[in-house]
C-alpha cells in the first residue's frame, strides 16, 4: 500500500515538481491549494496539476483548501489517513513581505500553526517543511552549512520561515512522537524536462531567472541588475542556483529519511555548493536561448547581500542526495518551459 501524503501548496512551482516526483517514486499525494499563487485550470484543478496528470497519464487527488480554514483542515484529516505532510503553502514575495508584513505573518504563521494543530489532533506527526536559505541572513562565512547562525533575516518573508522552523522544533521537543525535516533551499531554477510545468510568477517576477527568461522570450524589455560594485568576480551578486528537479528529488530523499525516524527534527541545505553571478546567469541564458538578454545596471537594493552559496555535504551524507544538474541544464530546461509557454500557464499548449 502506497504511503499517502498531504502536500500543501502543491500547485505552486516547487510543490508541483515535488508532486510529480512523489508519484513517480510510488507515493500517493493528496494536494491542497487555495489558488493564491496558482492558475485555475478549466476543469477546477490548478493548471499545473492538470499538466502533471497529462505527463503521467493518471489522476491527482486535489482539494481546494485554505490553511486559515480550521474546519476544512479538520475535515481533510478525517477523510484521509496521512503518513506525513509536505508543507509548501505560504506567501513568498520578499518585496511584498516588506510592504505587507502583517499579511505575511498571518498567512504563513497562522496557517502553519493551524496545520500543526490539525496534524496533532489526528495523530499525523511527521512533516517535511519548505524553508529557505534566507534564514541565514548575511553570511558570516562561506559556504553556508547547517551550523551557520540562523534568524538574522533581512525581510519579513525570511522571518516567517525562521519562526516556523522554531515552532516545528519546539513541537518536536515537546512531543517525542513528532519528527520533522526542515529543508533550506537556495535558489530553485529550471523546469521539468517536458516543458509542461515550470515557474509562472504572477506579475513581475521576484526572482532573477524568471525575469531573465522573460526578457529572452520578448515579454520584458530588459533586466535591471541591482548593483555591479559588490566584492565578487564581476561586481554582481553571487548565488547558489539549484535545478528544480534536483530540489524535488531532495524532498523524496528527505521523506524516506523522515518515515524511518522518530522523535527528531533535522535541518538540511538543498543547494549545489557552487555560486554564479547575475551576469554569469545572463550569459548562460543567452547561450541556452540563442537570444540577447538586454540589461541595465541599477543601484543596489536594500537587504541584498554580495555572495551566498551552500555547503550541501550533510544532505549527501545523511540523505544520500546531491544535485546532479549543472548550469547549462538549468537554463536549457528553463528556456524550453519559457519558449513553449511565453505567458506561463495561460499560454495555449
Amino acid at each position: 500500500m502506497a504511503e499517502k501524503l498531504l502536500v500543501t501548496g502543491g500547485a505552486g512551482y516547487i510543490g508541483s515538481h515535488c508532486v510529480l516526483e512523489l508519484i513517480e517514486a510510488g507515493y500517493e499525494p493528496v494536494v491542497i491549494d487555495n489558488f493564491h499563487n496558482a492558475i485555475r485550470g478549466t476543469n477546477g484543478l490548478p493548471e499545473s496539476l492538470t499538466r502533471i496528470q497529462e505527463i503521467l497519464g493518471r489522476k491527482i487527488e486535489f482539494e481546494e483548501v485554505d490553511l486559515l480554514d480550521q474546519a476544512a483542515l479538520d475535515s481533510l484529516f478525517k477523510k484521509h489517513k496521512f503518513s506525513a505532510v509536505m508543507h509548501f503553502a505560504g506567501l513568498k514575495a520578499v518585496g511584498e513581505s516588506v510592504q505587507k508584513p502583517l499579511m505575511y505573518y498571518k498567512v504563513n504563521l497562522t496557517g502553519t500553526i493551524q496545520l500543526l494543530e490539525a496534524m496533532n489532533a489526528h495523530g499525523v506527526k511527521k512533516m517535511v517543511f519548505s524553508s529557505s536559505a534566507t534564514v541565514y541572513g548575511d553570511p558570516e562565512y562561506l559556504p553556508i552549512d547547517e551550523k551557520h547562525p540562523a534568524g538574522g533575516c533581512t525581510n519579513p518573508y525570511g522571518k516567517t520561515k525562521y519562526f516556523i522552523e522554531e515552532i516545528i522544533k519546539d513541537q518536536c521537543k515537546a512531543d517525542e512522537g513528532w519528527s520533522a525535516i526542515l529543508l533550506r533551499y537556495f535558489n530553485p531554477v529550471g523546469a521539468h524536462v517536458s516543458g509542461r510545468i515550470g515557474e509562472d510568477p504572477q506579475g513581475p517576477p521576484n526572482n532573477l531567472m524568471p525575469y531573465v527568461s522573460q526578457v529572452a522570450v520578448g515579454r520584458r524589455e530588459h533586466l535591471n541588475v541591482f548593483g555591479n560594485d559588490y566584492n565578487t568576480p564581476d561586481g554582481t551578486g553571487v548565488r547558489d542556483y539549484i535545478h528544480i528537479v534536483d530540489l524535488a528529488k531532495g524532498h523524496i530523499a528527505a521523506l524516506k529519511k523522515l518515515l524511518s525516524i522518530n522523535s527528531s527534527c533535522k535541518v538540511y541545505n538543498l543547494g549545489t555548493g557552487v555560486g554564479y553571478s547575475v551576469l554569469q546567469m545572463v550569459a548562460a541564458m543567452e547561450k541556452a536561448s540563442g537570444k540577447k538578454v538586454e540589461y541595465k545596471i541599477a543601484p543596489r537594493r536594500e537587504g541584498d547581500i554580495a555572495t551566498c552559496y551552500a555547503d550541501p555535504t550533510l544532505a549527501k551524507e545523511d540523505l544520500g542526495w546531491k544535485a546532479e544538474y549543472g548550469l547549462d541544464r538549468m537554463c536549457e530546461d528553463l528556456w524550453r518551459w519559457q519558449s513553449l509557454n511565453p505567458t506561463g500557464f495561460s499560454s495555449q499548449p
Side-chain angles (χ1 to χ4, degrees):
M1 185 75 179
E3 303 271 7
K4 188 179 264 197
L5 310 168
L6 174 61
V7 182
T8 75
Y13 173 47
I14 298 169
S16 61
H17 284 81
C18 286
V19 166
L20 196 155
E21 295 297 330
L22 281 167
I23 293 169
E24 292 204 316
Y27 296 98
E28 287 289 334
V30 175
V31 180
I32 63 170
D33 209 288
N34 68 353
F35 290 100
H36 185 90
N37 297 317
I39 297 290
R40 192 182 293 272
T42 53
N43 58 359
L45 272 182
E47 182 61 25
S48 55
L49 299 186
T50 300
R51 294 189 181 193
I52 292 172
Q53 289 187 158
E54 291 166 5
I55 292 166
L56 296 176
R58 56 153 289 174
K59 285 206 175 309
I60 293 171
E61 201 160 352
F62 171 78
E63 294 194 32
E64 186 175 348
V65 174
D66 191 311
L67 294 183
L68 295 177
D69 185 343
Q70 190 82 62
L73 270 178
D74 190 54
S75 172
L76 183 77
F77 277 87
K78 281 179 180 164
K79 184 174 170 184
H80 300 282
K81 188 167 176 51
F82 298 119
S83 300
V85 174
M86 271 195 188
H87 181 30
F88 300 99
L91 301 176
K92 61 188 181 76
V94 168
E96 185 182 55
S97 80
V98 174
Q99 267 134 40
K100 300 177 179 176
L102 293 181
M103 182 171 82
Y104 270 67
Y105 289 128
K106 179 177 181 180
V107 171
N108 291 5
L109 295 184
T110 309
T112 301
I113 290 167
Q114 294 198 167
L115 173 63
L116 292 168
E117 286 175 341
M119 290 172 67
N120 214 30
H122 295 274
V124 182
K125 297 185 176 184
K126 290 182 182 289
M127 174 182 275
V128 177
F129 173 57
S130 164
S131 192
S132 165
T134 56
V135 302
Y136 293 120
D138 199 344
E140 293 180 13
Y141 60 84
L142 292 166
I144 298 172
D145 59 20
E146 290 81 355
K147 293 187 178 75
H148 187 288
C153 311
T154 55
N155 55 73
Y157 161 74
K159 287 176 187 172
T160 66
K161 291 294 188 186
Y162 175 68
F163 294 155
I164 290 168
E165 282 194 7
E166 292 297 295
I167 290 165
I168 294 169
K169 284 178 186 174
D170 285 342
Q171 182 58 27
C172 289
K173 269 187 210 156
D175 181 344
E176 62 181 21
W178 271 81
S179 51
I181 291 181
L182 316 176
L183 297 177
R184 292 173 177 166
Y185 311 157
F186 280 69
N187 293 268
V189 297
H192 187 260
V193 69
S194 65
R196 297 288 287 142
I197 59 168
E199 189 168 10
D200 183 18
Q202 305 304 298
N206 297 299
N207 301 319
L208 173 67
M209 290 312 286
Y211 217 110
V212 171
S213 66
Q214 287 187 12
V215 173
V217 86
R219 193 165 155 188
R220 298 187 183 278
E221 284 187 11
H222 69 272
L223 169 74
N224 286 321
V225 176
F226 296 105
N228 66 344
D229 56 351
Y230 288 104
N231 184 21
T232 62
D234 61 19
T236 64
V238 169
R239 299 291 182 270
D240 186 333
Y241 296 90
I242 176 171
H243 196 294
I244 185 66
V245 173
D246 276 332
L247 188 74
K249 287 179 176 172
H251 287 73
I252 307 301
L255 178 65
K256 286 177 180 169
K257 176 84 170 180
L258 181 70
L259 293 173
S260 71
I261 59 174
N262 289 306
S263 192
S264 174
C265 187
K266 294 183 177 289
V267 175
Y268 298 99
N269 288 335
L270 294 185
T272 64
V274 179
Y276 292 104
S277 75
V278 174
L279 295 185
Q280 283 177 309
M281 298 303 288
V282 168
M285 180 49 75
E286 288 182 335
K287 178 183 170 187
S289 65
K291 308 284 186 186
K292 180 76 178 149
V293 176
E294 300 291 345
Y295 66 86
K296 293 180 181 177
I297 304 299
R300 290 187 185 191
R301 288 182 302 193
E302 190 180 349
D304 274 357
I305 55 181
T307 304
C308 179
Y309 57 93
D311 179 348
T313 306
L314 191 62
K316 185 179 180 185
E317 290 174 351
D318 265 22
L319 306 178
W321 171 91
K322 69 181 179 67
E324 301 289 341
Y325 297 133
L327 181 57
D328 286 349
R329 177 65 186 268
M330 294 179 210
C331 290
E332 286 163 14
D333 289 345
L334 172 56
W335 177 244
R336 185 181 302 107
W337 153 256
Q338 189 70 79
S339 56
L340 291 173
N341 304 272
T343 57
F345 282 116
S346 60
S347 307
Q348 290 302 312

